[in-house]
Amino acid sequence: MSEKFLTFRRFNQEESPNGLIKVLEANDISYIVEDSSPSFDVTFSGSTFDKEVHIKIKPVDFEIAEKLLLADVQATIDQLPPDYYLLNFTNEELIEVLMKPDKWSATDYKLSQEILKERGKVIDDELINTLKKKRNEELSEPEKSQRAWIYAGYLFSLLGGILGIFIGWHLMTFKKTLPNGHRVYGYVNSDRKHGKVILILGFVFTILWLIVRWNER
């Protein structure tokens, strides 16, 4: 079975994935471009705010792709204007960038390190690895209990609706992709157990309702 491709970076309509794609292709890293934009504008406003492109790669390539991407941004950093907004960040704000690399571009992440070094701060591999480990641990924490979804799941399942089945399946199986490519369950164990029950009830009551409707014909 081929290894699954997972989201490595997300780009909105104001950002271009071309730089990342160029790095991946130059280093023979397989990737998939996935347009996760809504198939239609539910507000009928013509807004493109929610448009997003995902670049997916294999989990085993996450760390090497991250290193290659950071190495590639040096030329970009050298061409930044002297009034680039990151240059006005305090040391605390720059450290926060380093603590959450998944929230910032590779350029900003790399530039934050250089600015801190110029300001006399010790930014070595040990610190970077420690911050990455801490961030992965934070992101590994499951979401708070999804009570509203659990209640809705039970309700829709008892009504025999497909929506109840979907909610149960989502609660039971949803996983998050960490910056290092690892996958972890997104919800606490108790919520996943509710999801399993909701899923089973959804199938059972859907079948029962179909039988009742068939007999009413």
Side-chain angles (χ1 to χ4, degrees):
M1 183 177 179
S2 60
E3 191 172 3
K4 186 177 181 181
F5 284 75
L6 302 177
T7 299
F8 177 65
R9 286 288 189 276
R10 296 177 174 84
F11 297 87
N12 58 36
Q13 73 275 9
E14 297 179 353
E15 302 170 322
S16 172
N18 292 339
L20 173 57
I21 291 175
K22 181 180 178 181
V23 171
L24 297 177
E25 290 181 344
N27 292 277
D28 296 323
I29 297 178
S30 301
Y31 68 92
I32 295 175
V33 179
E34 183 179 278
D35 185 354
S36 63
S37 308
S39 56
F40 62 93
D41 180 10
V42 294
T43 65
F44 300 100
S45 64
S47 172
T48 59
F49 182 77
D50 292 328
K51 289 186 176 180
E52 195 172 65
V53 172
H54 290 195
I55 303 298
K56 295 187 172 184
I57 62 177
K58 297 177 181 179
V60 69
D61 292 327
F62 266 54
E63 290 190 16
I64 183 62
E66 183 70 33
K67 292 179 180 178
L68 291 169
L69 188 59
L70 290 176
D72 185 70
V73 301
Q74 188 61 54
T76 302
I77 290 177
D78 294 339
Q79 298 173 4
L80 291 175
D83 60 346
Y84 192 69
Y85 73 98
L86 211 64
L87 297 173
N88 295 319
F89 273 32
T90 65
N91 290 348
E92 290 74 18
E93 290 172 327
L94 292 172
I95 291 175
E96 186 173 347
V97 174
L98 300 187
M99 293 174 63
K100 300 179 180 180
D102 52 294
K103 296 292 186 180
W104 298 84
S105 68
T107 298
D108 286 346
Y109 182 69
K110 185 69 173 180
L111 180 58
S112 295
Q113 296 180 41
E114 294 197 1
I115 295 174
L116 286 168
K117 288 179 181 178
E118 290 177 358
R119 294 178 182 178
K121 300 298 180 181
V122 178
I123 308 296
D124 54 19
D125 291 341
E126 183 179 356
L127 175 60
I128 294 298
N129 291 333
T130 298
L131 293 177
K132 285 183 177 180
K133 181 179 179 181
K134 183 178 180 180
R135 181 58 174 167
N136 284 324
E137 290 174 351
E138 291 176 353
L139 295 175
S140 296
E141 291 295 322
E143 305 292 334
K144 294 180 179 179
S145 184
Q146 307 293 304
R147 293 184 178 180
W149 281 110
I150 291 172
Y151 295 150
Y154 279 115
L155 175 62
F156 286 114
S157 290
L158 294 175
L159 293 175
I162 299 299
L163 184 56
I165 295 175
F166 172 77
I167 292 174
W169 173 81
H170 178 73
L171 289 172
M172 186 176 67
T173 64
F174 172 69
K175 289 185 176 182
K176 300 185 292 184
T177 303
L178 303 181
N180 60 6
H182 294 167
R183 298 268 284 170
V184 295
Y185 282 108
Y187 302 123
V188 295
N189 188 50
S190 58
D191 284 5
R192 289 191 282 117
K193 288 181 178 179
H194 279 296
K196 183 177 181 179
V197 175
I198 291 169
L199 182 66
I200 294 173
L201 287 175
F203 277 117
V204 171
F205 277 88
T206 296
I207 293 173
L208 289 177
W209 280 112
L210 289 174
I211 293 174
V212 170
R213 291 179 182 179
W214 178 266
N215 290 333
E216 288 178 348
R217 291 185 177 182

mmCIF file of all heavy atoms in Angstrom, residues 109-142:
data_model
loop_
_atom_site.group_PDB
_atom_site.id
_atom_site.type_symbol
_atom_site.label_atom_id
_atom_site.label_comp_id
_atom_site.label_asym_id
_atom_site.label_seq_id
_atom_site.Cartn_x
_atom_site.Cartn_y
_atom_site.Cartn_z
ATOM 1 N N TYR A 109 10.268 32.715 9.418
ATOM 2 C CA TYR A 109 10.869 31.837 10.428
ATOM 3 C C TYR A 109 12.396 31.955 10.403
ATOM 4 O O TYR A 109 13.045 32.109 11.447
ATOM 5 C CB TYR A 109 10.433 30.394 10.163
ATOM 6 C CG TYR A 109 10.947 29.389 11.169
ATOM 7 C CD1 TYR A 109 10.486 29.385 12.475
ATOM 8 C CD2 TYR A 109 11.888 28.427 10.803
ATOM 9 C CE1 TYR A 109 10.943 28.458 13.405
ATOM 10 C CE2 TYR A 109 12.353 27.496 11.710
ATOM 11 C CZ TYR A 109 11.878 27.513 13.014
ATOM 12 O OH TYR A 109 12.346 26.595 13.930
ATOM 13 N N LYS A 110 12.950 31.913 9.209
ATOM 14 C CA LYS A 110 14.409 32.006 9.068
ATOM 15 C C LYS A 110 14.904 33.402 9.432
ATOM 16 O O LYS A 110 15.929 33.564 10.116
ATOM 17 C CB LYS A 110 14.800 31.669 7.628
ATOM 18 C CG LYS A 110 16.309 31.618 7.384
ATOM 19 C CD LYS A 110 16.949 30.434 8.070
ATOM 20 C CE LYS A 110 18.400 30.289 7.677
ATOM 21 N NZ LYS A 110 19.057 29.144 8.332
ATOM 22 N N LEU A 111 14.187 34.433 8.990
ATOM 23 C CA LEU A 111 14.590 35.804 9.270
ATOM 24 C C LEU A 111 14.545 36.103 10.767
ATOM 25 O O LEU A 111 15.406 36.816 11.289
ATOM 26 C CB LEU A 111 13.685 36.780 8.519
ATOM 27 C CG LEU A 111 13.992 38.274 8.707
ATOM 28 C CD1 LEU A 111 15.425 38.592 8.284
ATOM 29 C CD2 LEU A 111 13.001 39.118 7.914
ATOM 30 N N SER A 112 13.560 35.539 11.470
ATOM 31 C CA SER A 112 13.463 35.742 12.920
ATOM 32 C C SER A 112 14.720 35.227 13.612
ATOM 33 O O SER A 112 15.228 35.864 14.549
ATOM 34 C CB SER A 112 12.231 35.018 13.472
ATOM 35 O OG SER A 112 11.039 35.583 12.969
ATOM 36 N N GLN A 113 15.228 34.101 13.165
ATOM 37 C CA GLN A 113 16.456 33.552 13.746
ATOM 38 C C GLN A 113 17.635 34.504 13.522
ATOM 39 O O GLN A 113 18.425 34.766 14.439
ATOM 40 C CB GLN A 113 16.765 32.192 13.124
ATOM 41 C CG GLN A 113 15.731 31.121 13.420
ATOM 42 C CD GLN A 113 16.087 29.786 12.781
ATOM 43 O OE1 GLN A 113 17.234 29.372 12.773
ATOM 44 N NE2 GLN A 113 15.099 29.105 12.240
ATOM 45 N N GLU A 114 17.726 35.030 12.307
ATOM 46 C CA GLU A 114 18.856 35.895 11.980
ATOM 47 C C GLU A 114 18.800 37.209 12.757
ATOM 48 O O GLU A 114 19.833 37.725 13.216
ATOM 49 C CB GLU A 114 18.886 36.156 10.477
ATOM 50 C CG GLU A 114 19.172 34.913 9.645
ATOM 51 C CD GLU A 114 19.592 35.247 8.228
ATOM 52 O OE1 GLU A 114 19.677 36.447 7.906
ATOM 53 O OE2 GLU A 114 19.846 34.305 7.460
ATOM 54 N N ILE A 115 17.607 37.767 12.897
ATOM 55 C CA ILE A 115 17.460 39.029 13.632
ATOM 56 C C ILE A 115 17.848 38.828 15.086
ATOM 57 O O ILE A 115 18.565 39.654 15.680
ATOM 58 C CB ILE A 115 16.014 39.551 13.531
ATOM 59 C CG1 ILE A 115 15.663 39.910 12.093
ATOM 60 C CG2 ILE A 115 15.827 40.776 14.429
ATOM 61 C CD1 ILE A 115 14.222 40.303 11.877
ATOM 62 N N LEU A 116 17.389 37.729 15.683
ATOM 63 C CA LEU A 116 17.720 37.460 17.080
ATOM 64 C C LEU A 116 19.224 37.260 17.273
ATOM 65 O O LEU A 116 19.803 37.710 18.262
ATOM 66 C CB LEU A 116 16.944 36.231 17.565
ATOM 67 C CG LEU A 116 15.449 36.455 17.825
ATOM 68 C CD1 LEU A 116 14.725 35.118 18.020
ATOM 69 C CD2 LEU A 116 15.235 37.342 19.045
ATOM 70 N N LYS A 117 19.854 36.586 16.313
ATOM 71 C CA LYS A 117 21.308 36.388 16.397
ATOM 72 C C LYS A 117 22.042 37.716 16.316
ATOM 73 O O LYS A 117 23.016 37.957 17.036
ATOM 74 C CB LYS A 117 21.764 35.448 15.274
ATOM 75 C CG LYS A 117 21.349 33.996 15.465
ATOM 76 C CD LYS A 117 21.825 33.135 14.300
ATOM 77 C CE LYS A 117 21.397 31.691 14.486
ATOM 78 N NZ LYS A 117 21.818 30.833 13.341
ATOM 79 N N GLU A 118 21.547 38.611 15.431
ATOM 80 C CA GLU A 118 22.164 39.931 15.298
ATOM 81 C C GLU A 118 22.008 40.748 16.575
ATOM 82 O O GLU A 118 22.824 41.632 16.863
ATOM 83 C CB GLU A 118 21.551 40.676 14.114
ATOM 84 C CG GLU A 118 21.933 40.093 12.753
ATOM 85 C CD GLU A 118 21.244 40.814 11.618
ATOM 86 O OE1 GLU A 118 20.436 41.737 11.899
ATOM 87 O OE2 GLU A 118 21.505 40.467 10.445
ATOM 88 N N ARG A 119 20.943 40.447 17.324
ATOM 89 C CA ARG A 119 20.700 41.160 18.575
ATOM 90 C C ARG A 119 21.403 40.493 19.761
ATOM 91 O O ARG A 119 21.178 40.865 20.908
ATOM 92 C CB ARG A 119 19.195 41.243 18.837
ATOM 93 C CG ARG A 119 18.436 42.102 17.828
ATOM 94 C CD ARG A 119 16.942 42.113 18.117
ATOM 95 N NE ARG A 119 16.203 42.891 17.119
ATOM 96 C CZ ARG A 119 14.863 43.026 17.112
ATOM 97 N NH1 ARG A 119 14.141 42.455 18.060
ATOM 98 N NH2 ARG A 119 14.281 43.749 16.174
ATOM 99 N N GLY A 120 22.235 39.511 19.476
ATOM 100 C CA GLY A 120 23.037 38.888 20.523
ATOM 101 C C GLY A 120 22.374 37.727 21.232
ATOM 102 O O GLY A 120 22.900 37.251 22.250
ATOM 103 N N LYS A 121 21.272 37.238 20.713
ATOM 104 C CA LYS A 121 20.590 36.113 21.328
ATOM 105 C C LYS A 121 21.159 34.793 20.794
ATOM 106 O O LYS A 121 21.503 34.697 19.615
ATOM 107 C CB LYS A 121 19.084 36.169 21.047
ATOM 108 C CG LYS A 121 18.406 37.424 21.584
ATOM 109 C CD LYS A 121 18.524 37.521 23.094
ATOM 110 C CE LYS A 121 17.838 38.774 23.625
ATOM 111 N NZ LYS A 121 17.961 38.899 25.093
ATOM 112 N N VAL A 122 21.261 33.817 21.677
ATOM 113 C CA VAL A 122 21.794 32.510 21.284
ATOM 114 C C VAL A 122 20.674 31.680 20.660
ATOM 115 O O VAL A 122 19.736 31.257 21.338
ATOM 116 C CB VAL A 122 22.389 31.759 22.492
ATOM 117 C CG1 VAL A 122 22.893 30.385 22.061
ATOM 118 C CG2 VAL A 122 23.508 32.571 23.117
ATOM 119 N N ILE A 123 20.769 31.465 19.350
ATOM 120 C CA ILE A 123 19.782 30.663 18.630
ATOM 121 C C ILE A 123 20.539 29.523 17.946
ATOM 122 O O ILE A 123 21.061 29.682 16.838
ATOM 123 C CB ILE A 123 19.016 31.501 17.586
ATOM 124 C CG1 ILE A 123 18.430 32.760 18.216
ATOM 125 C CG2 ILE A 123 17.931 30.644 16.937
ATOM 126 C CD1 ILE A 123 17.386 32.482 19.279
ATOM 127 N N ASP A 124 20.631 28.401 18.634
ATOM 128 C CA ASP A 124 21.362 27.268 18.071
ATOM 129 C C ASP A 124 20.407 26.118 17.760
ATOM 130 O O ASP A 124 19.198 26.202 18.002
ATOM 131 C CB ASP A 124 22.466 26.813 19.022
ATOM 132 C CG ASP A 124 21.949 26.520 20.425
ATOM 133 O OD1 ASP A 124 20.722 26.310 20.583
ATOM 134 O OD2 ASP A 124 22.751 26.497 21.369
ATOM 135 N N ASP A 125 20.971 25.051 17.214
ATOM 136 C CA ASP A 125 20.148 23.898 16.821
ATOM 137 C C ASP A 125 19.431 23.282 18.021
ATOM 138 O O ASP A 125 18.295 22.807 17.901
ATOM 139 C CB ASP A 125 21.017 22.838 16.134
ATOM 140 C CG ASP A 125 21.513 23.290 14.777
ATOM 141 O OD1 ASP A 125 20.916 24.231 14.221
ATOM 142 O OD2 ASP A 125 22.488 22.705 14.278
ATOM 143 N N GLU A 126 20.094 23.281 19.165
ATOM 144 C CA GLU A 126 19.480 22.693 20.357
ATOM 145 C C GLU A 126 18.213 23.449 20.745
ATOM 146 O O GLU A 126 17.186 22.839 21.062
ATOM 147 C CB GLU A 126 20.471 22.716 21.520
ATOM 148 C CG GLU A 126 19.924 22.050 22.792
ATOM 149 C CD GLU A 126 20.932 22.059 23.930
ATOM 150 O OE1 GLU A 126 22.076 22.510 23.709
ATOM 151 O OE2 GLU A 126 20.575 21.603 25.032
ATOM 152 N N LEU A 127 18.266 24.779 20.709
ATOM 153 C CA LEU A 127 17.088 25.581 21.047
ATOM 154 C C LEU A 127 15.979 25.372 20.024
ATOM 155 O O LEU A 127 14.815 25.196 20.391
ATOM 156 C CB LEU A 127 17.464 27.062 21.108
ATOM 157 C CG LEU A 127 16.296 28.031 21.340
ATOM 158 C CD1 LEU A 127 15.609 27.731 22.666
ATOM 159 C CD2 LEU A 127 16.771 29.478 21.287
ATOM 160 N N ILE A 128 16.343 25.378 18.745
ATOM 161 C CA ILE A 128 15.345 25.198 17.682
ATOM 162 C C ILE A 128 14.648 23.849 17.824
ATOM 163 O O ILE A 128 13.421 23.750 17.728
ATOM 164 C CB ILE A 128 16.002 25.307 16.292
ATOM 165 C CG1 ILE A 128 16.515 26.736 16.056
ATOM 166 C CG2 ILE A 128 15.025 24.901 15.204
ATOM 167 C CD1 ILE A 128 15.433 27.789 16.066
ATOM 168 N N ASN A 129 15.424 22.797 18.073
ATOM 169 C CA ASN A 129 14.839 21.463 18.229
ATOM 170 C C ASN A 129 13.956 21.380 19.463
ATOM 171 O O ASN A 129 12.910 20.710 19.451
ATOM 172 C CB ASN A 129 15.950 20.411 18.309
ATOM 173 C CG ASN A 129 16.684 20.237 16.993
ATOM 174 O OD1 ASN A 129 16.117 20.475 15.927
ATOM 175 N ND2 ASN A 129 17.941 19.835 17.052
ATOM 176 N N THR A 130 14.349 22.065 20.534
ATOM 177 C CA THR A 130 13.547 22.074 21.756
ATOM 178 C C THR A 130 12.206 22.769 21.515
ATOM 179 O O THR A 130 11.157 22.277 21.953
ATOM 180 C CB THR A 130 14.295 22.800 22.892
ATOM 181 O OG1 THR A 130 15.501 22.097 23.182
ATOM 182 C CG2 THR A 130 13.438 22.863 24.150
ATOM 183 N N LEU A 131 12.248 23.909 20.798
ATOM 184 C CA LEU A 131 11.016 24.646 20.498
ATOM 185 C C LEU A 131 10.106 23.825 19.582
ATOM 186 O O LEU A 131 8.881 23.819 19.749
ATOM 187 C CB LEU A 131 11.353 25.982 19.854
ATOM 188 C CG LEU A 131 12.063 27.004 20.753
ATOM 189 C CD1 LEU A 131 12.406 28.261 19.967
ATOM 190 C CD2 LEU A 131 11.193 27.352 21.960
ATOM 191 N N LYS A 132 10.693 23.134 18.613
ATOM 192 C CA LYS A 132 9.892 22.303 17.705
ATOM 193 C C LYS A 132 9.223 21.166 18.468
ATOM 194 O O LYS A 132 8.053 20.846 18.244
ATOM 195 C CB LYS A 132 10.778 21.737 16.593
ATOM 196 C CG LYS A 132 11.164 22.745 15.529
ATOM 197 C CD LYS A 132 11.986 22.079 14.438
ATOM 198 C CE LYS A 132 12.329 23.065 13.331
ATOM 199 N NZ LYS A 132 13.130 22.420 12.255
ATOM 200 N N LYS A 133 9.980 20.548 19.374
ATOM 201 C CA LYS A 133 9.436 19.448 20.164
ATOM 202 C C LYS A 133 8.282 19.926 21.030
ATOM 203 O O LYS A 133 7.237 19.257 21.120
ATOM 204 C CB LYS A 133 10.538 18.838 21.038
ATOM 205 C CG LYS A 133 10.067 17.658 21.876
ATOM 206 C CD LYS A 133 11.217 17.086 22.709
ATOM 207 C CE LYS A 133 10.726 15.919 23.560
ATOM 208 N NZ LYS A 133 11.831 15.356 24.403
ATOM 209 N N LYS A 134 8.467 21.093 21.657
ATOM 210 C CA LYS A 134 7.414 21.647 22.500
ATOM 211 C C LYS A 134 6.171 21.970 21.679
ATOM 212 O O LYS A 134 5.045 21.725 22.111
ATOM 213 C CB LYS A 134 7.913 22.914 23.199
ATOM 214 C CG LYS A 134 6.908 23.519 24.159
ATOM 215 C CD LYS A 134 7.474 24.738 24.867
ATOM 216 C CE LYS A 134 6.441 25.333 25.823
ATOM 217 N NZ LYS A 134 6.970 26.529 26.520
ATOM 218 N N ARG A 135 6.369 22.509 20.473
ATOM 219 C CA ARG A 135 5.233 22.847 19.607
ATOM 220 C C ARG A 135 4.484 21.590 19.180
ATOM 221 O O ARG A 135 3.247 21.569 19.167
ATOM 222 C CB ARG A 135 5.734 23.595 18.371
ATOM 223 C CG ARG A 135 4.631 24.017 17.404
ATOM 224 C CD ARG A 135 3.612 24.902 18.063
ATOM 225 N NE ARG A 135 2.631 25.407 17.095
ATOM 226 C CZ ARG A 135 1.503 26.003 17.447
ATOM 227 N NH1 ARG A 135 1.193 26.178 18.724
ATOM 228 N NH2 ARG A 135 0.676 26.440 16.508
ATOM 229 N N ASN A 136 5.213 20.543 18.841
ATOM 230 C CA ASN A 136 4.562 19.286 18.465
ATOM 231 C C ASN A 136 3.761 18.704 19.627
ATOM 232 O O ASN A 136 2.685 18.136 19.424
ATOM 233 C CB ASN A 136 5.606 18.272 17.980
ATOM 234 C CG ASN A 136 6.101 18.568 16.584
ATOM 235 O OD1 ASN A 136 5.350 19.018 15.730
ATOM 236 N ND2 ASN A 136 7.387 18.332 16.349
ATOM 237 N N GLU A 137 4.296 18.851 20.837
ATOM 238 C CA GLU A 137 3.575 18.368 22.017
ATOM 239 C C GLU A 137 2.297 19.163 22.230
ATOM 240 O O GLU A 137 1.250 18.599 22.576
ATOM 241 C CB GLU A 137 4.477 18.471 23.252
ATOM 242 C CG GLU A 137 5.629 17.477 23.248
ATOM 243 C CD GLU A 137 6.589 17.692 24.415
ATOM 244 O OE1 GLU A 137 6.439 18.730 25.118
ATOM 245 O OE2 GLU A 137 7.474 16.840 24.626
ATOM 246 N N GLU A 138 2.360 20.480 22.015
ATOM 247 C CA GLU A 138 1.178 21.323 22.162
ATOM 248 C C GLU A 138 0.107 20.943 21.139
ATOM 249 O O GLU A 138 -1.073 20.814 21.469
ATOM 250 C CB GLU A 138 1.550 22.798 21.995
ATOM 251 C CG GLU A 138 2.392 23.364 23.124
ATOM 252 C CD GLU A 138 2.807 24.797 22.855
ATOM 253 O OE1 GLU A 138 2.558 25.293 21.735
ATOM 254 O OE2 GLU A 138 3.390 25.419 23.761
ATOM 255 N N LEU A 139 0.538 20.772 19.888
ATOM 256 C CA LEU A 139 -0.411 20.438 18.824
ATOM 257 C C LEU A 139 -0.950 19.025 18.966
ATOM 258 O O LEU A 139 -2.007 18.697 18.402
ATOM 259 C CB LEU A 139 0.252 20.620 17.457
ATOM 260 C CG LEU A 139 0.637 22.055 17.095
ATOM 261 C CD1 LEU A 139 1.405 22.075 15.770
ATOM 262 C CD2 LEU A 139 -0.602 22.935 16.993
ATOM 263 N N SER A 140 -0.237 18.169 19.692
ATOM 264 C CA SER A 140 -0.681 16.787 19.886
ATOM 265 C C SER A 140 -1.860 16.704 20.856
ATOM 266 O O SER A 140 -2.579 15.700 20.867
ATOM 267 C CB SER A 140 0.476 15.923 20.420
ATOM 268 O OG SER A 140 1.518 15.829 19.485
ATOM 269 N N GLU A 141 -2.029 17.757 21.667
ATOM 270 C CA GLU A 141 -3.124 17.749 22.624
ATOM 271 C C GLU A 141 -4.465 17.727 21.886
ATOM 272 O O GLU A 141 -4.684 18.503 20.960
ATOM 273 C CB GLU A 141 -3.058 18.988 23.520
ATOM 274 C CG GLU A 141 -1.885 18.997 24.476
ATOM 275 C CD GLU A 141 -1.981 17.878 25.502
ATOM 276 O OE1 GLU A 141 -3.096 17.585 25.962
ATOM 277 O OE2 GLU A 141 -0.927 17.291 25.827
ATOM 278 N N PRO A 142 -5.370 16.823 22.277
ATOM 279 C CA PRO A 142 -6.675 16.754 21.610
ATOM 280 C C PRO A 142 -7.524 17.986 21.895
ATOM 281 O O PRO A 142 -7.290 18.707 22.875
ATOM 282 C CB PRO A 142 -7.311 15.491 22.208
ATOM 283 C CG PRO A 142 -6.643 15.329 23.533
ATOM 284 C CD PRO A 142 -5.231 15.826 23.345
#
